[in-house]
Amino acid sequence: MLQHLSQGLRTGVAVALLTVATFAAAQGVRGDHPDTYVVVRGDTLWGIAGKFLQRPWLWPEIWQANPQIQNPHLIYPGDVISLSYLNRVGVEPGPREEAPINAIPLSDIEPFLKNRSVVDGFDHLPHVVALEDSRLRASPERRIYVANLDHASAGERYAVIRPSAEFYGTPRARGLDYRGARIHGDTNLWRDLVPRGRDDAFLGYEVVQMGVGTVVHGPTEISDMSVIELDLEGLDVRAGDRVVPVNPQPYDLQFFPHPPSGDALSRDAQVIAVADALTSGGPRDVIAISAGSADGVDNGTVFSIWRSGPYTIDRVYHPDTSRINDASNPGARRYRMPDEYASHAMVFRTFDHVSYALVMESTKPTRVGYALKHPDAQY
């Protein structure tokens, strides 16, 4: 009897889960969706989902409502997406002559995918001592001279990186000079304009790839330097830059949008930097957030980004107070204002405690210090 009860329970749970998934599919589909859609080259998972789903990050849940789909992670040009049967999404496979489509347009973010990473330290890495012709900057196709690259062999490929910032759990990234030292006089005045997080731990150093080159030869009898010739494309290299082996595939080629895990949400993460900007970014800008793979964040994780409600003086009852409005911390005679939605962002590269995300859509600028929430959060 217990066995029959167990089997019945499993069957009931399975039916319930399928019902829930089907309900999620019906609730997530736009009312004006077409009956079918043919995937074309240049599509992205986010873009397609936005055509017929109210919430693009529900893509996996919609797919789970259709067990006939063999691999929900791989959608190809020529596939026919059908939405005509009870608002359920299904796919009729097309030819498999081209590569599967990606979650986001990689061409928009490829410089950031390749050029920015987070490391625990860099003092131990080989570094550039001098440049060809004793130049101050080495342009593409010039040679650089590297110390402590003792076992380099001709033909090996290396990337030249430069430390750019220190990341912390609260938005107080410190700028670094080309040697990786803190910039003298850099006080980060703007950090006092954003709320403090609960965790002020050091998260890592951001390093930016300046160029890639090929080893010409290693140390010789007359010099301890290894010689690297830079590729045609790249940025200016200078003495003090570090050198690391080239990572042939530094990021996932295939991932899909999905809501964050409970562990990721419990991290109380914030925006800690905006690539190539001081404090603000918009759609297709890259941001750094204070949560990574160790916190349950993976590629494709979608967050909503919110301005934390400031503490504001009620001037009706306190018209003569000298206290400032819009303070980031509580105080006498201040009221906490509601949080305000700013944007959605999707993670595309993760490290232990830091991730990079692409701002997908927004109603206002995304700023350093803004909080990360579930993509369906209402307040």
Side-chain angles (χ1 to χ4, degrees), residues 45-46 49-50 53-62 256-260 300-304 341 343-346 360-361 374-378:
L45 289 183
W46 185 281
L53 299 186
Q54 296 174 4
R55 295 171 288 177
W57 50 91
L58 279 181
W59 185 273
E61 284 82 352
I62 299 297
F256 57 100
H258 59 273
T301 299
V302 178
F303 291 98
S304 60
Y341 166 79
S343 61
H344 280 106
M346 182 165 61
M360 304 301 298
E361 55 195 15
H374 191 282
D376 290 335
Q378 297 299 309

Side-chain angles (χ1 to χ4, degrees), residues 5-32:
L5 179 61
S6 175
Q7 290 175 345
L9 180 61
R10 289 197 299 268
T11 301
V13 170
V15 171
L17 290 175
L18 182 58
T19 302
V20 170
T22 304
F23 176 77
Q27 294 300 306
V29 177
R30 293 183 182 274
D32 57 349

Side-chain angles (χ1 to χ4, degrees), residues 66-91:
N66 293 270
Q68 78 277 11
I69 299 174
Q70 295 183 355
N71 191 340
H73 300 190
L74 300 178
I75 308 299
Y76 292 79
D79 287 348
V80 180
I81 298 175
S82 174
L83 301 94
S84 59
Y85 178 66
L86 297 179
N87 270 349
R88 289 180 59 184
V89 182
V91 169

Side-chain angles (χ1 to χ4, degrees), residues 215-227:
V215 174
V216 178
H217 62 74
T220 64
E221 295 179 356
I222 63 172
S223 174
D224 295 329
M225 297 294 104
S226 294
V227 179

Side-chain angles (χ1 to χ4, degrees), residues 120-138:
D120 294 331
F122 49 81
D123 289 338
H124 63 290
L125 297 174
H127 64 278
V128 179
V129 174
L131 316 173
E132 183 179 353
D133 296 329
S134 298
R135 292 171 178 262
L136 297 179
R137 301 282 196 279

Side-chain angles (χ1 to χ4, degrees), residues 266-321:
S266 67
R267 183 64 178 80
D268 193 24
Q270 295 177 302
V271 178
I272 56 175
V274 179
D276 298 325
L278 182 60
T279 61
S280 303
R284 293 299 186 266
D285 278 337
V286 172
I287 59 175
I289 64 174
S290 59
S293 56
D295 308 302
V297 177
D298 60 350
N299 287 344
T301 299
V302 178
F303 291 98
S304 60
I305 301 176
W306 293 69
R307 179 198 183 204
S308 297
Y311 293 86
T312 301
I313 298 292
D314 186 342
R315 299 288 174 178
V316 172
Y317 293 102
H318 307 288
D320 300 323
T321 182

